[in-house]
């Protein structure tokens, strides 16, 4: 699926670090979730978005946002990509003197469901068609948090989509900042593969 050289190499990365700022924090951190900068290279195209905020009292509701059942041979492939990506994220953090992030099963359901929705409904954005961000998606899953963030990527035509996405994230300052944020403690990476072989990644970062 990934070895065909006939595909145009393309990777788009979206990073978001979202939350509500406390009154004493810098207001600039709560802005910019819909701003994008694009950098083009021979190997593909990169796009980024980011936002930062915090909330010490935020709690989610009890709505269930679990992904629909997965069928077919893709389940093993999806799980393997998720595990590989998480392993690489934690390797990068350790290389920068940071603690590894703990895997969170609740976040996996939210992250995988969002990757699946982007793949099936053919959109790529922090905001879903109803305008909800990662903040709302995590809240609706009943997950409480003090700081939450999100990295998105899709990859088509790369032999190793995990390496391509991680390289793009590390080459983008906002995404790298999310990956190496000392305040985050939990994470999960949800993957989905579209009918044309495009691999979608959603990583959610959390501090409870």
């Amino acid at each position: 699926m990934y070895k065909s050289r006939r595909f145009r190499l393309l990777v788009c990365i979206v990073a978001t670090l979202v939350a509500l700022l406390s009154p004493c924090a810098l207001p600039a951190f709560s802005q910019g979730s819909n701003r994008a900068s694009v950098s083009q290279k021979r190997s593909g195209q990169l796009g980024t978005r980011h936002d930062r905020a915090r909330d010490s009292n935020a709690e989610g509701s009890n709505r269930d946002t679990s992904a629909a059942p997965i069928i077919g041979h893709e389940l093993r492939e999806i799980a393997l990509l998720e595990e590989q990506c998480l392993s690489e994220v934690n390797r990068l953090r350790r290389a920068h003197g940071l603690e590894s992030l703990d895997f969170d099963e609740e976040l996996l359901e939210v992250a995988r469901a969002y990757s699946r929705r982007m793949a099936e409904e053919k959109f790529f954005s922090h905001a879903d068609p109803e305008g909800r961000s990662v903040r709302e998606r995590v809240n609706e899953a009943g997950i409480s948090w003090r700081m939450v963030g999100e990295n998105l990527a899709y990859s088509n035509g790369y032999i190793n989509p995990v390496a391509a996405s991680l390289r793009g994230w590390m080459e983008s300052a906002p995404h790298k900042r999310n990956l190496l944020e000392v305040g985050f403690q939990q994470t999960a990476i949800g993957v989905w593969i579209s009918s044309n072989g495009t691999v979608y990644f959603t990583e959610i970062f959390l501090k409870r």
Side-chain angles (χ1 to χ4, degrees), residues 91-111:
R91 183 187 64 79
L92 288 168
R93 286 179 63 89
R94 291 192 300 270
H96 286 79
L98 301 172
E99 292 186 1
S100 297
L101 298 172
D102 294 329
F103 169 72
D104 192 295
E105 187 73 34
E106 290 182 300
L107 289 180
L108 175 60
E109 293 184 357
V110 179

Side-chain angles (χ1 to χ4, degrees), residues 8-24:
R8 177 171 59 94
L9 299 183
L10 173 66
V11 64
C12 279
I13 304 94
V14 175
T16 275
L17 181 53
V18 182
L20 305 171
L21 276 175
S22 59
C24 62

Side-chain angles (χ1 to χ4, degrees), residues 116-134:
R116 180 173 188 172
R117 188 173 184 192
M118 288 191 295
E120 294 182 346
E121 298 184 20
K122 296 179 173 58
F123 72 94
F124 185 67
S125 173
H126 298 300
D128 63 22
E130 292 74 40
R132 294 173 300 187
S133 69
V134 63

Side-chain angles (χ1 to χ4, degrees), residues 26-51:
L26 294 176
F29 284 175
S30 65
Q31 300 174 356
S33 62
N34 292 319
R35 297 175 184 173
S37 61
V38 178
S39 173
Q40 294 186 353
K41 298 186 177 182
R42 292 180 183 273
S43 60
Q45 186 179 59
L46 303 178
T48 66
R49 296 175 184 171
H50 70 284
D51 191 8

Side-chain angles (χ1 to χ4, degrees), residues 27-159:
F29 284 175
S30 65
Q31 300 174 356
S33 62
N34 292 319
R35 297 175 184 173
S37 61
V38 178
S39 173
Q40 294 186 353
K41 298 186 177 182
R42 292 180 183 273
S43 60
Q45 186 179 59
L46 303 178
T48 66
R49 296 175 184 171
H50 70 284
D51 191 8
R52 171 167 288 191
R54 301 168 189 267
D55 186 355
S56 60
N57 298 311
E59 293 187 358
S61 67
N62 293 318
R63 179 175 173 181
D64 183 9
T65 58
S66 299
I70 304 170
I71 59 176
H73 71 282
E74 290 184 346
L75 177 57
R76 291 190 300 274
E77 192 171 6
I78 285 169
L80 181 60
L81 289 169
E82 290 168 345
E83 293 170 6
Q84 290 175 344
C85 197
L86 177 57
S87 177
E88 284 302 298
V89 167
N90 279 332
R91 183 187 64 79
L92 288 168
R93 286 179 63 89
R94 291 192 300 270
H96 286 79
L98 301 172
E99 292 186 1
S100 297
L101 298 172
D102 294 329
F103 169 72
D104 192 295
E105 187 73 34
E106 290 182 300
L107 289 180
L108 175 60
E109 293 184 357
V110 179
R112 186 184 282 174
Y114 196 61
S115 286
R116 180 173 188 172
R117 188 173 184 192
M118 288 191 295
E120 294 182 346
E121 298 184 20
K122 296 179 173 58
F123 72 94
F124 185 67
S125 173
H126 298 300
D128 63 22
E130 292 74 40
R132 294 173 300 187
S133 69
V134 63
R135 181 169 38 198
E136 286 75 39
R137 292 191 294 276
V138 170
N139 284 346
E140 288 172 1
I143 301 171
S144 61
W145 50 270
R146 286 186 289 167
M147 186 164 66
V148 63
E150 181 179 70
N151 276 5
L152 303 180
Y154 71 81
S155 175
N156 189 309
Y158 284 95
I159 294 174

